[in-house]
Amino acid sequence: VAKPMVTCLNGHETTHHNRCIPLEMAAELLVRYADGATDLFLDNGHDELLMRFSSGDFPHLIRHWASRTRAVADAREHLESDSGIIALYGPEDEMRDVAVQATQDFPMLKVSFFASQLFGGGRVVFQPGGITKGTGILDLCAALDIEPGETMVFGDWYNDIAMFKAGCVNVAMINAVDEIKALAHHVTEEDSEADGVARFLRGAFLDGV
C-alpha cells in the first residue's frame, strides 16, 4: 500500500508558536474554503468538535479527536472562540489547490495537505503556526518542571515525528511508519488494537517486580 503524502506547505515545524487560530481568522477560512469540502471538522474554541459530513462513517473516524462532537449544517454559525484546528476533506486535487492558496493567504498558519487513504481524497489541516506534538510535550515538561528525557512518548504516524525529536524516550508502535521507527528507542510487540502501549509498560516496569 502506498504511503499517504503528508506535506506541511509553509514550515512552522520549529518556529515560535501561537496556541490558537484567532476567531476572525477561523471564520475567514471557513468562508473562503469550506464550501469546496465534502466533510470538515473544527474545534469551536471550547474543546468541542463541530462536524459537517457527507458519510455516516465520518463521526466514527474522528471520534478520538475530542470527547465532545456535534454535527452542524454550517460551522460558521457555531464558532464561539479561537480555534485549535480546522480540517477540510474533499477531492484530492481540489484540496491540494486549497492548501496551496491558503499557504499564500495565511502565511502565519501551519497549512498541511494529506492524501487521505480513508476517504480516497485529500485533507487540508489548518493549525496555529508552530504547534506540534513536540511543542505540546515541551510545554508540558516546562509546566511540570521536568526534562524531556524524563518522559516517555508513544507514536505511530507522521504527526508524531516532532514529538519524537523533542528529546523524550521514544517508543514506536509495531505498525508505525518507518520514519517513526527510525527515531525510536524501543518498538512495541503489539499494536494499539492489541493493547500495545499497556503491554509495553507492563513489560518495562512491572514484570518481575
Side-chain angles (χ1 to χ4, degrees):
V1 177
K3 294 180 181 177
M5 181 174 66
V6 182
T7 307
C8 178
L9 288 116
N10 57 348
H12 293 300
E13 290 299 333
T14 58
T15 62
H16 176 73
H17 61 279
N18 300 312
R19 296 185 180 277
C20 292
I21 302 171
L23 174 61
E24 296 79 8
M25 188 179 295
E28 182 65 18
L29 288 168
L30 293 175
V31 168
R32 294 196 189 193
Y33 308 122
D35 289 344
T38 56
D39 305 271
L40 64 83
F41 71 81
L42 67 147
D43 163 33
N44 73 343
H46 293 286
D47 199 28
E48 178 183 44
L49 283 188
L50 304 178
M51 303 180 295
R52 190 194 77 200
F53 51 90
S54 58
S55 166
D57 292 332
F58 190 76
H60 174 74
L61 292 171
I62 66 168
R63 68 192 187 281
H64 298 305
W65 283 85
S67 58
R68 295 187 297 132
T69 59
R70 177 160 47 111
V72 298
D74 187 345
R76 291 169 289 194
E77 297 178 357
H78 299 274
L79 273 176
E80 300 176 25
S81 185
D82 298 346
S83 181
I85 186 171
I86 299 174
L88 309 179
Y89 296 76
E92 183 172 339
D93 289 343
E94 293 180 26
M95 291 298 99
R96 185 183 289 107
D97 290 344
V98 165
V100 171
Q101 185 61 52
T103 297
Q104 300 173 12
D105 295 343
F106 298 91
M108 70 295 296
L109 296 180
K110 177 182 176 183
V111 181
S112 302
F113 171 79
F114 300 76
S116 174
Q117 290 180 316
L118 294 174
F119 290 89
R123 177 176 70 181
V124 179
V125 177
F126 303 101
Q127 295 171 284
I131 291 291
T132 67
K133 290 186 178 183
T135 61
I137 284 291
L138 294 177
D139 283 353
L140 180 61
C141 288
L144 297 175
D145 193 25
I146 61 176
E147 295 297 322
E150 298 177 79
T151 69
M152 178 177 288
V153 295
F154 293 77
D156 61 2
W157 198 241
Y158 298 100
N159 64 342
D160 296 317
I161 289 176
M163 180 174 67
F164 270 41
K165 292 181 177 180
C168 308
V169 177
N170 301 329
V171 184
M173 305 306 296
I174 192 170
N175 58 324
V177 296
D178 290 342
E179 290 83 345
I180 286 293
K181 287 184 176 178
L183 296 170
H185 302 106
H186 308 279
V187 178
T188 66
E189 295 182 1
E190 295 88 7
D191 61 21
S192 297
E193 297 298 323
D195 298 324
V197 173
R199 291 174 182 272
F200 178 88
L201 291 172
R202 184 180 64 187
F205 298 107
L206 297 179
D207 285 357
V209 174

